[in-house]
Amino acid sequence: MRQSLIILLILSIFTSCSNSTKKPDKSKSEKLTVESDEKKIDPARTELDIQKTFLDFVKLAKVPDSLNFDVDNVFYGDFNGDNKKDFASPVINLENGFYGLIIIHNDSNPKYRVFGAGNEINGQTNLDWIDKFKVIPKGRNIVPTLVDEKTGDIIGPDQTKTFKLIGDGILMSVDESHGGGILFWNGKNYEWYHIE
C-alpha cells in the first residue's frame, strides 16, 4: 500500500509539472487582427518556419534586419494594381520601437515600402495605435473624411476626392472605434485617406 501511495505521489508530481504552461507575454502583435481570405497561420510553428512559407518574391526582397515582421498577421493582395499578389505585414522597427506596415511588390526584383515604423505617412511615424487591418478590393470607390481643422469635428465625406481603387487598399483602424485610414496606390505612389 505504501509503495502504491509513493508511486501515485510521484506520478501526480510528474503530471502537474508537465501540464504547466507558460503564459504568453501580451504584446502588440497579439492584439492585431487581419481580415483577409488568406489561410490562418498555425501559431505553434516558429517564426522561421512561417517565413519559409512566404512566397519567393518576399524572400528575395532585401528587407533590413531591423524590421521585424508580425508573422502571425501577414496578408496578400494586389496592392499596386498589376494583377500580381503582393505581400503586406505589420512590422516593428527594432531600432526605434515604432510600428508600421511593410508592402513588398511581387516582381523579379522585389521592392518594399514601409509606412510608419519611423517613416512618415500622413504625418505619422508610429502606427502603434492600429489594431486591425482589412484588405479593400480594387475597383471600390473610397472617400476621405473631412474634418474641421479648428474643432476636430467630423464634417462628413469629401466627395471632391472620391477615388476608385486601382489596386487593393489596406484599411487600418482601431478596434473600438471606426476611425482609421486607408492606404492605397494612386498610380504612382501610395496615398493615405483618413476614414471615419
Side-chain angles (χ1 to χ4, degrees):
M1 174 84 169
R2 185 171 182 199
Q3 190 176 19
S4 297
L5 286 174
I6 293 172
I7 291 172
L8 284 174
L9 181 61
I10 292 171
L11 285 174
S12 68
I13 291 171
F14 178 76
T15 56
S16 68
C17 290
S18 64
N19 287 335
S20 67
T21 57
K22 182 180 174 187
K23 289 186 178 179
D25 294 334
K26 284 288 181 190
S27 67
K28 173 73 177 171
S29 65
E30 286 182 284
K31 75 175 198 167
L32 294 176
T33 58
V34 175
E35 294 181 15
S36 155
D37 294 334
E38 294 297 317
K39 199 165 66 169
K40 296 287 182 197
I41 295 173
D42 180 1
R45 294 187 298 163
T46 67
E47 183 174 334
L48 185 58
D49 290 337
I50 293 168
Q51 287 182 4
K52 288 178 185 176
T53 67
F54 288 168
L55 299 177
D56 287 341
F57 74 92
V58 177
K59 296 176 199 172
L60 291 173
K62 295 176 180 155
V63 177
D65 291 337
S66 61
L67 292 176
N68 193 11
F69 294 168
D70 181 353
V71 295
D72 293 329
N73 290 300
V74 300
F75 51 103
Y76 295 88
D78 178 14
F79 303 120
N80 61 350
D82 64 356
N83 295 316
K84 295 179 192 172
K85 193 180 274 195
D86 303 310
F87 171 91
S89 172
V91 292
I92 183 169
N93 185 330
L94 300 175
E95 292 177 354
N96 58 24
F98 288 0
Y99 289 87
L101 178 80
I102 189 169
I103 295 176
I104 301 174
H105 290 159
N106 187 347
D107 198 0
S108 58
N109 185 18
K111 302 281 190 251
Y112 67 91
R113 299 192 181 179
V114 179
F115 308 93
N119 298 307
E120 187 177 335
I121 179 69
N122 193 44
Q124 306 169 78
T125 57
N126 190 359
L127 302 181
D128 62 343
W129 57 273
I130 295 172
D131 291 328
K132 196 190 264 186
F133 296 86
K134 182 178 181 179
V135 176
I136 306 298
K138 60 183 165 184
R140 288 225 182 133
N141 285 331
I142 58 170
V143 181
T145 303
L146 199 56
V147 178
D148 186 299
E149 289 182 25
K150 291 181 183 176
T151 65
D153 293 338
I154 296 171
I155 298 170
D158 185 354
Q159 299 294 344
T160 63
K161 294 186 178 178
T162 300
F163 186 83
K164 186 174 184 175
L165 291 177
I166 298 168
D168 296 331
I170 302 173
L171 179 67
M172 296 179 254
S173 62
V174 179
D175 218 7
E176 303 89 41
S177 74
H178 299 290
I182 186 164
L183 186 67
F184 64 97
W185 182 254
N186 67 13
K188 294 182 181 181
N189 294 303
Y190 283 94
E191 196 171 331
W192 172 282
Y193 273 1
H194 175 78
I195 305 284
E196 286 291 335

